[in-house]
Amino acid sequence: MSRRLSLSLPTKLDQLERIYEAVDELGESEEWPPGMVYQVKLVLEELGVNIVTHGHGGDPDHEFEIVLDSDADALTIELRDEGRPFNPLTDSPEPDVDSGLDDRPVGGLGIYLVRTMMDELSYRREDNHNILTIVKRKENG
């Protein structure tokens, strides 16, 4: 079975709760493992916060879109926003994951988490929109 869920959200941090609720609902109806639900929510929180705070500088007069396509094998997520151009695959510095917490510079870990928790990521800039596509393969058994 395949399901699609689309959300169009104002660029406000308080709207992230709608994402969590949508992921919980879709995950329950599709019987995702709890770990997958957690990872998807964490990744979408990180990316949503980045869009709201960095892409639009906290200006709430914009919107961003999230489309979740769930099929038997994978979940594909597309995030689309009109924020400043930002390719998280090339514009985000590699974080220092080896130094102690006090010695690490602030930032960069969120995108690192996205890269490590998801199976595929791609970015394109189209019609003044950032479009990030993420794939999380479903685990069998």
Side-chain angles (χ1 to χ4, degrees):
M1 184 164 117
S2 180
R3 265 190 79 190
R4 172 176 269 210
L5 179 65
S6 276
L7 298 169
S8 183
L9 304 166
T11 52
K12 298 178 183 178
L13 290 176
D14 65 357
Q15 294 296 305
L16 296 178
E17 188 62 37
R18 290 180 53 199
I19 298 170
Y20 311 145
E21 292 168 359
V23 170
D24 282 337
E25 177 187 316
L26 187 59
E28 185 176 319
S29 71
E30 296 278 312
E31 299 180 355
W32 299 348
M36 181 176 166
V37 172
Y38 172 79
Q39 287 182 343
V40 171
K41 286 168 60 174
L42 184 62
V43 162
L44 289 177
E45 176 179 11
E46 172 61 30
L47 296 171
V49 167
N50 284 352
I51 289 169
V52 170
T53 59
H54 301 298
H56 294 285
D59 181 353
D61 295 329
H62 297 276
E63 290 191 343
F64 67 104
E65 297 174 43
I66 299 176
V67 177
L68 297 103
D69 281 309
S70 180
D71 64 28
D73 299 320
L75 171 68
T76 302
I77 304 165
E78 183 178 279
L79 291 100
R80 178 184 290 258
D81 74 272
E82 294 180 317
R84 67 176 176 80
F86 180 76
N87 180 346
L89 305 178
T90 59
D91 297 342
S92 183
E94 285 294 320
D96 179 359
V97 295
D98 297 319
S99 297
L101 289 177
D102 293 335
D103 298 327
R104 294 181 193 181
V106 174
L109 280 179
I111 297 300
Y112 173 79
L113 285 174
V114 172
R115 288 179 180 162
T116 58
M117 290 184 170
M118 299 293 109
D119 296 304
E120 298 174 30
L121 285 93
S122 63
Y123 170 86
R124 69 186 189 277
R125 181 81 178 170
E126 186 177 285
D127 298 325
N128 292 323
H129 286 82
N130 294 303
I131 303 169
L132 182 64
T133 303
I134 305 164
V135 175
K136 177 67 175 170
R137 286 187 286 282
K138 297 179 179 176
E139 300 173 10
N140 294 325

